[in-house]
Amino acid sequence: LYERKWDRKTCVSHEIFIGQGDYPLKGFHYLLGAMQEIRKEFPDVHVRVAGISVTAYGTLKEKLKISGYGKYLRECIEKYGLEEHVEILGKLAGEEMRAACLRCHVFVCPSSLENSPNALGEAMLLGVPCVASRVGGIPDMAEEGKSALFFEKGNEKELAARIMEIFRSDELAERLSENAGKQAGRNHDGDANYARLLEIYREILGDM
């Protein structure tokens, strides 16, 4: 599944992909706020979001079921004039998720709270240039400036700046891509992780 790697020559320029945006902790609204700044320099910027369409409002059922957060996202999209710049993809299967990662220019994880997000790990394994909030276990997954770019959670201007750094520089994008793939390969090495787990249990049992 992860053998094919991201390629700047075949990705869609100025396309951003996020793996989930259906509840506030995932920080989709921060990315919408950052889009104002990004559009000044990159007016063709486009965001694609995997997961449940919490902003759906086309049918009576959708209007009755829409959450408060869904309404807020719709307000943000309208307020910032992003109707033509945001696409909700719905739930994606494994191959579809991989394809969405490989076609984007930048993968963004704008969460305000995280442990070790699978979507970020998958994007890194595929070598996608990543921008992520500096929260929870994320700083342990990537090396700042080498295998990913970080921003402080909720800081929309810094988020916009990090994304635009990658948009401006193919050299940076390709360097992040190469290093992300290498680091994720180490992070998700099943044999190495299993061996380390056994070591930990032996150390614990040895102290008893």
Side-chain angles (χ1 to χ4, degrees), residues 131-147:
V131 174
S133 51
R134 195 182 289 103
V135 297
I138 290 177
D140 293 326
M141 297 177 66
E143 184 176 346
E144 183 164 13
K146 185 175 181 180
S147 51

Side-chain angles (χ1 to χ4, degrees), residues 155-196:
N155 190 325
E156 296 173 358
K157 287 190 175 181
E158 189 179 14
L159 170 56
R162 298 291 84 80
I163 292 170
M164 289 192 290
E165 283 181 44
I166 297 173
F167 282 176
R168 293 184 190 118
S169 174
D170 288 349
E171 180 182 351
L172 172 60
E174 288 166 357
R175 185 170 71 249
L176 289 171
S177 173
E178 181 179 358
N179 291 329
K182 289 178 180 178
Q183 181 153 5
R186 294 192 297 270
N187 291 347
H188 302 283
D189 185 321
D191 292 336
N193 290 337
Y194 176 67
R196 179 55 185 147

Side-chain angles (χ1 to χ4, degrees), residues 87-174:
E87 181 180 359
I88 311 295
L89 302 175
K91 292 183 178 180
L92 302 181
E95 286 289 346
E96 294 172 318
M97 192 76 172
R98 180 172 78 96
C101 279
L102 290 173
R103 68 165 270 166
C104 76
H105 197 158
V106 178
F107 176 89
V108 174
C109 179
S111 302
S112 57
L113 183 67
E114 278 290 0
N115 182 14
S116 178
N118 290 333
L120 176 61
E122 291 168 358
M124 290 178 65
L125 278 168
L126 292 167
V128 184
C130 295
V131 174
S133 51
R134 195 182 289 103
V135 297
I138 290 177
D140 293 326
M141 297 177 66
E143 184 176 346
E144 183 164 13
K146 185 175 181 180
S147 51
L149 300 184
F150 292 160
F151 71 99
E152 292 300 324
K153 68 175 182 180
N155 190 325
E156 296 173 358
K157 287 190 175 181
E158 189 179 14
L159 170 56
R162 298 291 84 80
I163 292 170
M164 289 192 290
E165 283 181 44
I166 297 173
F167 282 176
R168 293 184 190 118
S169 174
D170 288 349
E171 180 182 351
L172 172 60
E174 288 166 357

